[in-house]
Amino acid sequence: MTTSIINSQQLSEDLSDSNLRLKDIIKTLPRECFQQNRRKAWTQVLFSVFMVGLGYYILAIAPWFLLPFAWILTGTALTGFFVIAHDCGHRSFAKRRWVNDLVGHFFMMPLIYPFHSWRIKHNYHHTHTNKLDEDNAWHPIRPEVFESWDKSRQFAFEGFMRKRLWWVGSIGHWAVVHFDWRNFKTKDQSSIKLSVAVVVIFAAIAFPLLIATTGIWGFVKFWLVPWLVYHFWMSTFTIVHHTASDVPFVAANKWNEALAQLSGTIHCDYPRWIEILCHDINVHVPHHLSTAIPSYNLRLAYSSIKENWQPYLHDECQFSWSLMKQIVDQCQLYTTDVGYKSFNEYYAER
């Protein structure tokens, strides 16, 4: 997993010195990449609804030994729900805002994810991708920040990384960030309250009904475990998209938007059935160049990017346990202008 350009220190210098602009890259993309197609968008909706429905049907009839397969299928299909809402959050699903908001809330509801709070926080991530101390997605922790924490928080974070618990990371992000409207600007708080109310009302109706008809085990079987599988993919996609030992996070005064989005975003191939159920969200470089590209046009855009900007792209990778082990074991703490180090390296230097 090395870059196609140079090492991370040299890339950091390029990020500050380059005159490359994001609009220069976007201009090279085919116009078709940005065209919304109502048929393709709603076909994705029907496909995801069908696959989630199929997953729940299999859960209902499967013997106990087939439940893991059904949980993986259903949770991965639910990730497709999130990707549709993801397009809605970027206004690339439909031309009318109210359609994006309605569809986005509908598909976030079973995930208990407030649509507007996620949309606002996620757009901030796009504005500050790989900017040190600003990017609010999966971002590195600097040693001096780690040292400022109390012992219990240090212990929790170190254990989280050493035990390779990246797959629960998005649950913490979901719980801490997205339900408190006080974390948002005043002008956004009314929309945040609306989105929180939508998921709270959904949960207040759906969960008691599910428990009343299927029991506590039914709640675990039909909602909790598929939801955990969905968060596995959320956590995995998020960390893999921007984390490698040679991908720099750059201070604001050295940050270049174009190179951060182009070189700091990683394309990772997954088994094709996962890519289909998740609507190619792993084809992530085009999405970071322009959020106006709908998910069904990501592969077209990426082909153009590879043709025109290959020297700037990070090497592609293949999803595997060894990849996740490498990322989590190496990318534990981050020293500004130097790069990642493991906890073992950190303690050895002290």
Coordinates of all heavy atoms in Angstrom, one line a residue, residues 28-106:
T28 N -12.0 17.8 -16.3 CA -11.6 16.7 -17.2 C -12.6 15.6 -17.2 O -12.5 14.6 -18.0 CB -10.2 16.2 -16.8 OG1 -10.3 15.6 -15.5 CG2 -9.2 17.3 -16.8
L29 N -13.6 15.6 -16.3 CA -14.5 14.5 -16.2 C -15.6 14.6 -17.2 O -16.0 15.7 -17.6 CB -15.2 14.5 -14.8 CG -14.2 14.2 -13.6 CD1 -15.0 14.4 -12.3 CD2 -13.6 12.9 -13.7
P30 N -16.0 13.5 -17.8 CA -17.1 13.6 -18.8 C -18.4 14.2 -18.2 O -18.7 14.0 -17.0 CB -17.4 12.1 -19.2 CG -16.1 11.4 -18.8 CD -15.5 12.1 -17.6
R31 N -19.1 14.9 -19.0 CA -20.3 15.6 -18.5 C -21.3 14.6 -18.0 O -22.1 14.9 -17.1 CB -20.9 16.4 -19.6 CG -22.1 17.3 -19.2 CD -22.6 18.2 -20.3 NE -21.5 19.1 -20.7 CZ -21.7 20.0 -21.7 NH1 -22.8 20.0 -22.4 NH2 -20.7 20.8 -22.0
E32 N -21.3 13.4 -18.6 CA -22.3 12.4 -18.2 C -22.1 12.0 -16.7 O -23.1 11.5 -16.1 CB -22.1 11.1 -19.1 CG -22.4 11.3 -20.5 CD -21.2 11.8 -21.3 OE1 -20.2 12.3 -20.7 OE2 -21.3 11.9 -22.6
C33 N -21.0 12.2 -16.2 CA -20.8 11.8 -14.8 C -21.7 12.6 -13.8 O -22.0 12.1 -12.7 CB -19.3 12.1 -14.4 SG -18.1 11.1 -15.2
F34 N -22.1 13.8 -14.2 CA -22.8 14.6 -13.3 C -24.3 14.6 -13.6 O -25.1 15.2 -12.9 CB -22.3 16.1 -13.4 CG -20.9 16.2 -13.2 CD1 -19.9 16.2 -14.2 CD2 -20.4 16.3 -11.9 CE1 -18.6 16.3 -13.9 CE2 -19.1 16.5 -11.6 CZ -18.1 16.4 -12.6
Q35 N -24.7 13.8 -14.6 CA -26.1 13.8 -15.0 C -26.9 12.9 -14.1 O -26.6 11.7 -14.0 CB -26.2 13.4 -16.5 CG -25.7 14.4 -17.5 CD -25.8 14.0 -18.9 OE1 -26.1 12.8 -19.2 NE2 -25.5 14.9 -19.9
Q36 N -28.0 13.4 -13.6 CA -28.9 12.6 -12.7 C -29.8 11.8 -13.7 O -30.3 12.4 -14.6 CB -29.7 13.4 -11.8 CG -28.8 14.1 -10.7 CD -29.6 14.9 -9.7 OE1 -30.8 14.9 -9.8 NE2 -28.9 15.7 -8.9
N37 N -30.0 10.6 -13.3 CA -30.9 9.7 -14.1 C -32.0 9.1 -13.2 O -31.7 8.3 -12.3 CB -30.1 8.6 -14.8 CG -30.9 7.7 -15.7 OD1 -31.9 7.2 -15.3 ND2 -30.4 7.5 -16.9
R38 N -33.2 9.6 -13.4 CA -34.3 9.2 -12.5 C -34.5 7.7 -12.5 O -34.7 7.1 -11.5 CB -35.5 10.0 -12.9 CG -36.7 9.8 -11.9 CD -37.9 10.6 -12.4 NE -37.6 12.0 -12.5 CZ -38.5 12.9 -13.0 NH1 -39.7 12.5 -13.4 NH2 -38.2 14.1 -13.1
R39 N -34.4 7.1 -13.7 CA -34.6 5.7 -13.8 C -33.6 4.9 -13.0 O -33.9 4.0 -12.2 CB -34.6 5.2 -15.2 CG -34.8 3.7 -15.4 CD -34.6 3.3 -16.9 NE -33.3 3.7 -17.5 CZ -32.2 3.0 -17.3 NH1 -32.2 1.9 -16.5 NH2 -31.1 3.4 -17.8
K40 N -32.3 5.3 -13.1 CA -31.2 4.6 -12.4 C -31.4 4.8 -10.9 O -31.2 3.9 -10.1 CB -29.9 5.1 -12.9 CG -29.5 4.6 -14.3 CD -28.1 5.1 -14.7 CE -27.8 4.6 -16.1 NZ -26.4 5.1 -16.5
A41 N -31.7 6.0 -10.5 CA -31.8 6.3 -9.1 C -32.9 5.5 -8.4 O -32.7 4.9 -7.4 CB -32.1 7.8 -8.9
W42 N -34.1 5.5 -9.1 CA -35.2 4.7 -8.5 C -35.1 3.2 -8.6 O -35.6 2.5 -7.9 CB -36.5 5.2 -9.0 CG -36.9 6.6 -8.5 CD1 -36.7 7.8 -9.1 CD2 -37.4 6.9 -7.2 NE1 -37.1 8.8 -8.3 CE2 -37.5 8.3 -7.1 CE3 -37.7 6.1 -6.1 CZ2 -37.9 8.9 -5.9 CZ3 -38.2 6.7 -4.9 CH2 -38.3 8.1 -4.9
T43 N -34.3 2.8 -9.6 CA -34.0 1.4 -9.8 C -33.1 0.9 -8.6 O -33.3 -0.1 -8.0 CB -33.2 1.1 -11.1 OG1 -34.1 1.4 -12.2 CG2 -32.8 -0.4 -11.2
Q44 N -32.2 1.8 -8.2 CA -31.4 1.5 -7.0 C -32.3 1.4 -5.7 O -32.1 0.5 -4.9 CB -30.3 2.6 -6.7 CG -29.1 2.6 -7.7 CD -28.1 3.6 -7.2 OE1 -28.4 4.6 -6.6 NE2 -26.8 3.3 -7.6
V45 N -33.3 2.3 -5.6 CA -34.2 2.2 -4.5 C -34.9 0.9 -4.5 O -35.0 0.2 -3.4 CB -35.2 3.4 -4.6 CG1 -36.3 3.2 -3.6 CG2 -34.5 4.7 -4.3
L46 N -35.5 0.5 -5.6 CA -36.3 -0.7 -5.7 C -35.4 -1.9 -5.4 O -35.8 -2.9 -4.7 CB -36.9 -0.9 -7.1 CG -38.0 0.2 -7.4 CD1 -38.5 0.0 -8.8 CD2 -39.2 0.0 -6.4
F47 N -34.1 -1.9 -5.9 CA -33.2 -3.0 -5.7 C -32.9 -3.1 -4.2 O -32.9 -4.2 -3.7 CB -31.9 -2.8 -6.5 CG -30.9 -3.8 -6.2 CD1 -31.0 -5.1 -6.7 CD2 -29.8 -3.4 -5.5 CE1 -30.0 -6.0 -6.5 CE2 -28.8 -4.4 -5.2 CZ -28.9 -5.7 -5.7
S48 N -32.6 -2.0 -3.6 CA -32.2 -2.1 -2.2 C -33.4 -2.5 -1.3 O -33.2 -3.3 -0.4 CB -31.7 -0.7 -1.7 OG -30.4 -0.5 -2.1
V49 N -34.6 -2.0 -1.6 CA -35.8 -2.4 -0.8 C -36.0 -3.9 -1.0 O -36.3 -4.7 -0.1 CB -37.0 -1.6 -1.3 CG1 -38.3 -2.2 -0.7 CG2 -36.9 -0.2 -0.9
F50 N -35.9 -4.4 -2.3 CA -36.0 -5.8 -2.5 C -35.0 -6.7 -1.8 O -35.4 -7.7 -1.1 CB -35.9 -6.1 -4.0 CG -35.9 -7.6 -4.4 CD1 -37.1 -8.3 -4.4 CD2 -34.8 -8.3 -4.6 CE1 -37.2 -9.7 -4.7 CE2 -34.8 -9.6 -4.9 CZ -36.0 -10.3 -4.9
M51 N -33.7 -6.3 -1.8 CA -32.7 -7.1 -1.2 C -32.8 -7.0 0.4 O -32.6 -8.1 1.0 CB -31.3 -6.6 -1.6 CG -31.0 -6.8 -3.0 SD -31.2 -8.5 -3.6 CE -30.1 -9.4 -2.5
V52 N -33.2 -5.9 0.9 CA -33.4 -5.9 2.4 C -34.6 -6.7 2.7 O -34.6 -7.5 3.7 CB -33.7 -4.4 2.9 CG1 -34.2 -4.4 4.3 CG2 -32.4 -3.6 2.8
G53 N -35.7 -6.6 1.9 CA -36.9 -7.5 2.2 C -36.5 -9.0 2.0 O -37.0 -9.8 2.9
L54 N -35.7 -9.3 1.1 CA -35.2 -10.7 0.9 C -34.4 -11.1 2.1 O -34.6 -12.3 2.6 CB -34.4 -10.8 -0.4 CG -33.8 -12.2 -0.6 CD1 -34.9 -13.2 -0.9 CD2 -32.9 -12.2 -1.9
G55 N -33.6 -10.2 2.6 CA -32.8 -10.6 3.8 C -33.7 -10.9 5.0 O -33.4 -11.8 5.7
Y56 N -34.7 -10.0 5.2 CA -35.6 -10.3 6.3 C -36.4 -11.5 6.2 O -36.7 -12.3 7.1 CB -36.5 -9.1 6.5 CG -35.8 -7.9 7.2 CD1 -35.8 -6.6 6.7 CD2 -35.2 -8.1 8.4 CE1 -35.1 -5.6 7.3 CE2 -34.5 -7.0 9.1 CZ -34.5 -5.8 8.5 OH -33.9 -4.8 9.1
Y57 N -36.8 -11.8 4.9 CA -37.5 -13.1 4.7 C -36.7 -14.3 5.0 O -37.1 -15.2 5.6 CB -38.0 -13.1 3.2 CG -38.6 -14.4 2.8 CD1 -39.9 -14.7 3.2 CD2 -37.9 -15.3 2.0 CE1 -40.5 -15.9 2.9 CE2 -38.5 -16.6 1.7 CZ -39.8 -16.9 2.1 OH -40.4 -18.0 1.7
I58 N -35.4 -14.2 4.6 CA -34.5 -15.4 4.9 C -34.3 -15.5 6.4 O -34.3 -16.6 7.0 CB -33.2 -15.2 4.2 CG1 -33.3 -15.2 2.7 CG2 -32.1 -16.2 4.6 CD1 -32.1 -14.9 1.9
L59 N -34.2 -14.3 7.1 CA -34.1 -14.3 8.5 C -35.3 -15.0 9.2 O -35.2 -15.7 10.2 CB -33.9 -12.9 9.1 CG -32.5 -12.3 9.0 CD1 -32.6 -10.8 9.5 CD2 -31.5 -13.0 9.9
A60 N -36.4 -14.8 8.6 CA -37.7 -15.3 9.2 C -37.8 -16.8 9.0 O -38.4 -17.5 9.9 CB -38.9 -14.6 8.6
I61 N -37.2 -17.4 7.9 CA -37.4 -18.8 7.7 C -36.2 -19.6 7.9 O -36.2 -20.9 7.9 CB -37.9 -19.0 6.2 CG1 -36.9 -18.6 5.2 CG2 -39.3 -18.3 6.0 CD1 -37.2 -19.0 3.8
A62 N -35.0 -19.0 8.0 CA -33.8 -19.7 8.1 C -33.6 -20.5 9.4 O -33.9 -20.0 10.4 CB -32.6 -18.8 7.9
P63 N -33.1 -21.7 9.3 CA -32.7 -22.4 10.5 C -31.5 -21.7 11.2 O -30.8 -20.9 10.5 CB -32.2 -23.8 10.0 CG -31.9 -23.6 8.6 CD -32.8 -22.5 8.1
W64 N -31.2 -22.0 12.4 CA -30.3 -21.2 13.2 C -28.9 -21.2 12.6 O -28.2 -20.1 12.6 CB -30.2 -21.8 14.6 CG -29.6 -23.2 14.7 CD1 -30.3 -24.3 14.6 CD2 -28.2 -23.5 14.7 NE1 -29.5 -25.4 14.7 CE2 -28.2 -24.9 14.8 CE3 -27.0 -22.8 14.8 CZ2 -27.0 -25.6 14.8 CZ3 -25.8 -23.5 14.8 CH2 -25.8 -24.9 14.8
F65 N -28.5 -22.3 11.9 CA -27.1 -22.3 11.3 C -27.0 -21.5 10.1 O -25.8 -21.2 9.6 CB -26.7 -23.8 11.1 CG -27.6 -24.5 10.2 CD1 -27.5 -24.5 8.8 CD2 -28.6 -25.3 10.7 CE1 -28.4 -25.2 8.0 CE2 -29.5 -26.0 9.9 CZ -29.4 -26.0 8.5
L66 N -28.1 -21.0 9.5 CA -28.0 -20.1 8.3 C -28.2 -18.6 8.7 O -28.1 -17.7 7.9 CB -29.0 -20.5 7.3 CG -28.8 -21.8 6.5 CD1 -29.9 -22.0 5.5 CD2 -27.4 -21.8 5.8
L67 N -28.4 -18.3 10.0 CA -28.6 -17.0 10.4 C -27.4 -16.1 10.2 O -27.6 -14.9 9.8 CB -29.0 -16.9 11.9 CG -30.4 -17.4 12.3 CD1 -30.7 -17.3 13.8 CD2 -31.5 -16.6 11.5
P68 N -26.2 -16.5 10.4 CA -25.1 -15.6 10.1 C -25.0 -15.2 8.6 O -24.8 -14.0 8.4 CB -23.8 -16.5 10.4 CG -24.3 -17.4 11.5 CD -25.7 -17.7 11.1
F69 N -25.3 -16.1 7.7 CA -25.4 -15.7 6.3 C -26.5 -14.6 6.1 O -26.3 -13.6 5.4 CB -25.7 -16.9 5.4 CG -26.2 -16.6 4.1 CD1 -25.3 -16.1 3.1 CD2 -27.6 -16.7 3.7 CE1 -25.8 -15.8 1.8 CE2 -28.0 -16.4 2.5 CZ -27.1 -15.9 1.5
A70 N -27.7 -14.9 6.7 CA -28.8 -13.9 6.5 C -28.5 -12.6 7.2 O -28.9 -11.5 6.6 CB -30.1 -14.6 7.1
W71 N -27.8 -12.6 8.3 CA -27.5 -11.3 9.0 C -26.5 -10.5 8.1 O -26.6 -9.3 8.0 CB -26.8 -11.6 10.3 CG -27.8 -11.9 11.4 CD1 -29.1 -11.4 11.5 CD2 -27.6 -12.8 12.5 NE1 -29.7 -12.0 12.6 CE2 -28.8 -12.8 13.3 CE3 -26.6 -13.6 12.9 CZ2 -29.0 -13.6 14.4 CZ3 -26.7 -14.4 14.1 CH2 -27.9 -14.4 14.8
I72 N -25.5 -11.2 7.5 CA -24.5 -10.5 6.7 C -25.2 -9.9 5.4 O -25.0 -8.8 5.1 CB -23.4 -11.5 6.3 CG1 -22.6 -11.8 7.5 CG2 -22.5 -10.8 5.2 CD1 -21.5 -12.9 7.3
L73 N -26.1 -10.7 4.8 CA -26.8 -10.2 3.6 C -27.7 -9.0 4.0 O -27.7 -8.0 3.3 CB -27.7 -11.4 3.1 CG -28.7 -11.0 2.0 CD1 -27.9 -10.5 0.7 CD2 -29.6 -12.1 1.6
T74 N -28.5 -9.1 5.1 CA -29.4 -8.1 5.4 C -28.7 -6.8 5.8 O -29.0 -5.7 5.4 CB -30.3 -8.5 6.6 OG1 -30.9 -9.8 6.2 CG2 -31.4 -7.5 6.8
G75 N -27.6 -7.0 6.7 CA -26.9 -5.8 7.1 C -26.2 -5.1 6.0 O -26.1 -3.9 5.9
T76 N -25.6 -5.9 5.0 CA -25.0 -5.3 3.8 C -26.0 -4.6 3.0 O -25.7 -3.5 2.4 CB -24.2 -6.4 3.1 OG1 -23.3 -7.1 4.0 CG2 -23.4 -5.7 2.0
A77 N -27.2 -5.2 2.8 CA -28.2 -4.5 2.0 C -28.7 -3.3 2.7 O -29.0 -2.3 2.0 CB -29.4 -5.5 1.8
L78 N -28.7 -3.2 4.0 CA -29.1 -2.0 4.7 C -28.1 -0.9 4.5 O -28.4 0.3 4.5 CB -29.2 -2.3 6.2 CG -30.5 -3.0 6.7 CD1 -30.4 -3.4 8.1 CD2 -31.7 -2.1 6.5
T79 N -26.8 -1.3 4.3 CA -25.8 -0.3 3.9 C -26.1 0.3 2.6 O -25.8 1.5 2.4 CB -24.4 -1.0 3.8 OG1 -24.2 -1.7 5.0 CG2 -23.3 0.1 3.7
G80 N -26.8 -0.4 1.7 CA -27.3 0.2 0.5 C -28.3 1.3 0.7 O -28.4 2.3 0.0
F81 N -29.2 1.1 1.8 CA -30.1 2.1 2.2 C -29.3 3.4 2.6 O -29.7 4.5 2.2 CB -30.9 1.7 3.5 CG -32.1 0.9 3.2 CD1 -32.3 0.2 2.0 CD2 -33.1 0.8 4.2 CE1 -33.4 -0.5 1.8 CE2 -34.3 0.1 4.0 CZ -34.4 -0.6 2.7
F82 N -28.2 3.2 3.3 CA -27.4 4.4 3.7 C -26.8 5.1 2.5 O -26.8 6.3 2.4 CB -26.3 4.0 4.6 CG -25.3 5.1 4.9 CD1 -25.6 6.0 5.8 CD2 -24.1 5.2 4.1 CE1 -24.7 7.1 6.0 CE2 -23.2 6.2 4.3 CZ -23.5 7.2 5.3
V83 N -26.4 4.3 1.5 CA -25.8 4.9 0.3 C -26.8 5.7 -0.5 O -26.5 6.8 -1.0 CB -25.1 3.9 -0.6 CG1 -24.5 4.5 -1.9 CG2 -24.0 3.1 0.2
I84 N -28.0 5.3 -0.6 CA -29.1 6.1 -1.2 C -29.3 7.4 -0.4 O -29.4 8.4 -1.0 CB -30.4 5.2 -1.3 CG1 -30.2 4.1 -2.3 CG2 -31.6 6.1 -1.7 CD1 -31.3 3.1 -2.2
A85 N -29.4 7.3 0.9 CA -29.5 8.5 1.7 C -28.3 9.4 1.5 O -28.4 10.6 1.6 CB -29.7 8.1 3.2
H86 N -27.1 8.8 1.4 CA -25.9 9.5 1.1 C -26.0 10.3 -0.1 O -25.6 11.5 -0.1 CB -24.7 8.4 1.0 CG -23.4 9.0 0.8 ND1 -22.9 9.2 -0.5 CD2 -22.4 9.3 1.6 CE1 -21.7 9.6 -0.4 NE2 -21.3 9.7 0.8
D87 N -26.5 9.8 -1.2 CA -26.7 10.6 -2.4 C -27.7 11.7 -2.1 O -27.5 12.8 -2.6 CB -27.3 9.7 -3.5 CG -26.2 9.0 -4.4 OD1 -25.0 9.1 -3.9 OD2 -26.5 8.4 -5.4
C88 N -28.7 11.4 -1.4 CA -29.7 12.4 -1.0 C -29.1 13.6 -0.2 O -29.4 14.7 -0.4 CB -30.9 11.8 -0.2 SG -31.9 10.7 -1.1
G89 N -28.2 13.2 0.7 CA -27.5 14.2 1.5 C -26.7 15.2 0.7 O -26.5 16.3 1.0
H90 N -26.1 14.6 -0.4 CA -25.3 15.5 -1.3 C -26.2 16.1 -2.5 O -25.6 16.7 -3.4 CB -24.2 14.6 -1.9 CG -23.1 14.3 -0.9 ND1 -22.5 15.3 -0.2 CD2 -22.6 13.1 -0.5 CE1 -21.6 14.7 0.6 NE2 -21.7 13.4 0.4
R91 N -27.5 15.9 -2.4 CA -28.4 16.4 -3.4 C -28.1 15.8 -4.8 O -28.4 16.5 -5.8 CB -28.3 17.9 -3.5 CG -28.4 18.6 -2.1 CD -29.6 18.2 -1.3 NE -29.8 19.0 -0.1 CZ -30.6 18.7 0.9 NH1 -31.3 17.6 0.8 NH2 -30.8 19.5 1.9
S92 N -27.6 14.6 -4.9 CA -27.3 14.0 -6.2 C -28.3 12.9 -6.5 O -28.2 12.3 -7.6 CB -25.9 13.5 -6.2 OG -25.7 12.5 -5.2
F93 N -29.2 12.7 -5.6 CA -30.3 11.7 -5.9 C -31.4 12.3 -6.8 O -31.8 11.6 -7.8 CB -30.9 11.2 -4.6 CG -32.0 10.2 -4.8 CD1 -31.7 8.8 -5.0 CD2 -33.3 10.6 -4.8 CE1 -32.7 7.9 -5.2 CE2 -34.3 9.6 -5.1 CZ -34.0 8.3 -5.3
A94 N -31.8 13.4 -6.5 CA -32.9 14.1 -7.2 C -32.6 15.6 -7.3 O -31.9 16.1 -6.6 CB -34.3 13.8 -6.5
K95 N -33.3 16.2 -8.3 CA -33.1 17.7 -8.5 C -33.8 18.5 -7.4 O -33.4 19.6 -7.1 CB -33.5 18.0 -9.9 CG -32.6 17.4 -11.0 CD -33.0 17.8 -12.4 CE -32.1 17.2 -13.4 NZ -32.5 17.5 -14.8
R96 N -34.9 18.0 -6.9 CA -35.7 18.7 -6.0 C -35.2 18.4 -4.5 O -35.1 17.3 -4.2 CB -37.2 18.4 -6.1 CG -37.8 18.8 -7.5 CD -39.3 18.5 -7.5 NE -39.8 18.8 -8.8 CZ -40.3 20.0 -9.2 NH1 -40.2 21.0 -8.3 NH2 -40.8 20.2 -10.4
R97 N -35.0 19.5 -3.8 CA -34.5 19.3 -2.4 C -35.4 18.5 -1.6 O -35.0 17.7 -0.8 CB -34.2 20.7 -1.8 CG -33.7 20.6 -0.4 CD -33.2 21.9 0.2 NE -31.9 22.2 -0.5 CZ -31.1 23.2 -0.2 NH1 -31.5 24.0 0.9 NH2 -30.0 23.5 -0.8
W98 N -36.7 18.8 -1.7 CA -37.7 18.1 -0.8 C -37.7 16.6 -1.1 O -37.9 15.8 -0.1 CB -39.1 18.7 -0.9 CG -39.8 18.4 -2.2 CD1 -39.8 19.2 -3.3 CD2 -40.6 17.2 -2.5 NE1 -40.6 18.6 -4.3 CE2 -41.1 17.4 -3.8 CE3 -41.0 16.1 -1.8 CZ2 -41.9 16.4 -4.4 CZ3 -41.8 15.2 -2.4 CH2 -42.2 15.3 -3.7
V99 N -37.4 16.2 -2.3 CA -37.4 14.8 -2.7 C -36.1 14.1 -2.0 O -36.2 13.1 -1.4 CB -37.3 14.5 -4.2 CG1 -37.1 13.0 -4.5 CG2 -38.6 15.1 -4.8
N100 N -35.0 14.8 -2.1 CA -33.8 14.3 -1.4 C -34.0 14.2 0.1 O -33.6 13.2 0.7 CB -32.6 15.3 -1.7 CG -32.1 15.2 -3.1 OD1 -31.7 14.1 -3.5 ND2 -32.0 16.3 -3.8
D101 N -34.6 15.2 0.7 CA -34.8 15.2 2.1 C -35.8 14.0 2.5 O -35.6 13.3 3.5 CB -35.4 16.5 2.6 CG -34.3 17.6 2.6 OD1 -33.1 17.2 2.4 OD2 -34.6 18.8 2.8
L102 N -36.9 13.9 1.8 CA -37.9 12.9 2.1 C -37.3 11.5 1.9 O -37.4 10.6 2.8 CB -39.1 13.0 1.1 CG -40.2 12.0 1.4 CD1 -40.8 12.2 2.8 CD2 -41.3 12.2 0.3
V103 N -36.6 11.2 0.8 CA -36.0 9.9 0.6 C -34.9 9.6 1.6 O -34.7 8.5 2.1 CB -35.5 9.8 -0.9 CG1 -34.7 8.5 -1.1 CG2 -36.7 9.9 -1.9
G104 N -34.1 10.7 1.8 CA -33.0 10.5 2.8 C -33.5 10.1 4.2 O -33.0 9.2 4.8
H105 N -34.5 10.8 4.7 CA -35.1 10.5 6.0 C -35.7 9.1 6.0 O -35.6 8.3 6.9 CB -36.2 11.5 6.3 CG -35.7 12.7 7.0 ND1 -35.4 13.9 6.2 CD2 -35.4 13.0 8.2 CE1 -35.0 14.8 7.0 NE2 -34.9 14.3 8.3
F106 N -36.4 8.7 4.9 CA -37.0 7.4 4.8 C -36.0 6.3 4.9 O -36.2 5.3 5.7 CB -37.8 7.2 3.5 CG -38.4 5.9 3.3 CD1 -39.6 5.6 3.9 CD2 -37.8 4.9 2.6 CE1 -40.2 4.3 3.7 CE2 -38.3 3.6 2.4 CZ -39.6 3.4 3.0

